[in-house]
Amino acid sequence: MQAKHSIQVPEYELVRSAKRKTVSLQVKASKVRVLAPAKVCQDEITRLVSSKAEWLWRKIDEQQQLLSSKSERQFCHDELFYYLGTPYQLDIRFQEQCVTSIELDALAQKIIVNVANSFLTDDFQQEKLQQQIKQKLQLWFIEQANLVLTERIVKLQQSTGITMQSLKIRHYKSRWGSCDAKHRINLNWLLIMAPVTVIDYVIIHELCHIKHLNHSAKFWQLVKQFYPNPDSAKVWLTKHQAHLYWV
């Protein structure tokens, strides 16, 4: 079980008001807001948010799942998937005695899925086809994520001079990465859908948590030293949030 001090604190918006007497935490649309009296010190707010980090991540997860369930993916012809920041359409091609395979056509902006003609026979096969495409496509995305994310983190460790203990590519429902007190970094494989510049921001964000396991002013100062405009990456992730999930 992970110790509480090693749970990464989610980013939050701080709203101060002279009329407030207590600190309140809100999670709306998977975003955290802290409503605080004007005179409450930052250290006290940081301690409170840190103590509620586990609860906050749980609420974020719940709201992210609700968002995803509103438009479940169908894994059908012409459905849109992002890859390295570019939208690609699924191009499902039926062939004789074909083993399901994935190809990327960057020029046509298509992800080609080659499948066997046998899937065209009946409704049961159609359901099976959907599951086959989902499975193969997910494996392909994970393979690309392992290659690209590993390559980027190696380069960014060199450029920042910050070294992690280990890297794991995994699935998160509501965050793009994490770093614990032992300097172990986890990255969400769904990041492969984002542009390389946005991937770099997330990696730098997690590397900086090796120095500061919080979102203090010193943490953001370090992030901006290596990534001067983090807001641009955060805006991209927020704007494309509906496309960057997997059901």
Side-chain angles (χ1 to χ4, degrees):
M1 183 175 179
Q2 193 177 39
K4 282 191 174 182
H5 73 274
S6 66
I7 297 177
Q8 186 175 313
V9 176
E11 294 183 35
Y12 60 87
E13 176 189 5
L14 176 59
V15 181
R16 293 184 179 271
S17 171
K19 296 181 180 180
R20 289 196 65 86
K21 296 183 179 180
T22 60
V23 180
S24 175
L25 304 180
Q26 295 181 349
V27 183
K28 293 183 177 180
S30 299
K31 302 295 181 182
V32 179
R33 295 181 75 209
V34 180
L35 309 178
K39 294 183 179 180
V40 174
C41 70
Q42 181 62 50
D43 286 347
E44 184 176 340
I45 292 171
T46 300
R47 283 195 297 271
L48 175 62
V49 176
S50 296
S51 69
K52 298 292 185 180
E54 187 174 352
W55 175 82
L56 290 168
W57 281 120
R58 187 166 63 250
K59 299 300 291 184
I60 292 170
D61 282 346
E62 290 172 358
Q63 293 183 15
Q64 191 68 26
Q65 288 181 52
L66 181 62
L67 172 68
S68 298
S69 66
K70 291 179 180 178
S71 54
E72 291 189 2
R73 290 195 179 277
Q74 301 301 310
F75 301 96
C76 60
H77 192 75
D78 287 340
E79 188 171 16
L80 195 68
F81 284 82
Y82 274 72
Y83 177 71
L84 292 179
T86 299
Y88 286 79
Q89 287 182 309
L90 284 191
D91 184 357
I92 301 173
R93 300 181 181 180
F94 295 94
Q95 300 178 16
E96 290 289 344
Q97 298 179 339
C98 172
V99 176
T100 304
S101 62
I102 309 294
E103 301 174 28
L104 184 73
D105 186 337
L107 186 62
Q109 291 186 207
K110 292 182 181 293
I111 297 175
I112 301 169
V113 185
N114 298 301
V115 295
N117 281 340
S118 58
F119 283 111
L120 292 171
T121 56
D122 53 42
D123 291 340
F124 173 76
Q125 287 292 88
Q126 287 299 303
E127 185 176 330
K128 187 177 178 181
L129 169 63
Q130 183 185 41
Q131 291 302 316
Q132 179 82 346
I133 292 173
K134 176 182 178 180
Q135 180 185 41
K136 294 294 184 180
L137 197 60
Q138 181 171 334
L139 286 173
W140 183 82
F141 270 102
I142 291 173
E143 287 173 359
Q144 302 310 307
N146 274 280
L147 291 171
V148 174
L149 300 185
T150 300
E151 177 188 3
R152 296 312 303 164
I153 203 165
V154 167
K155 290 185 177 180
L156 291 170
Q157 283 182 108
Q158 294 172 347
S159 62
T160 61
I162 304 174
T163 304
M164 65 180 178
Q165 182 63 36
S166 63
L167 171 66
K168 183 177 181 181
I169 310 298
R170 55 166 296 180
H171 179 70
Y172 280 121
K173 293 178 181 177
S174 59
R175 47 178 157 169
W176 298 110
S178 68
C179 176
D180 65 19
K182 294 183 178 180
H183 303 171
R184 296 174 298 193
I185 288 179
N186 295 310
L187 294 174
N188 193 335
W189 64 265
L190 291 174
L191 272 173
I192 196 62
M193 293 186 169
V196 172
T197 54
V198 175
I199 292 173
D200 284 357
Y201 160 69
V202 174
I203 291 175
I204 287 172
H205 185 116
E206 302 309 333
L207 285 173
C208 289
H209 275 310
I210 291 174
K211 300 294 185 181
H212 305 284
L213 199 63
N214 52 47
H215 288 102
S216 62
K218 288 184 178 179
F219 166 78
W220 285 113
Q221 184 179 10
L222 186 60
V223 170
K224 291 178 181 179
Q225 179 181 331
F226 304 118
Y227 199 98
N229 188 14
D231 287 344
S232 63
K234 290 191 282 187
V235 166
W236 194 95
L237 288 169
T238 300
K239 182 178 179 181
H240 296 84
Q241 180 173 293
H243 293 287
L244 308 181
Y245 68 89
W246 202 280
V247 178

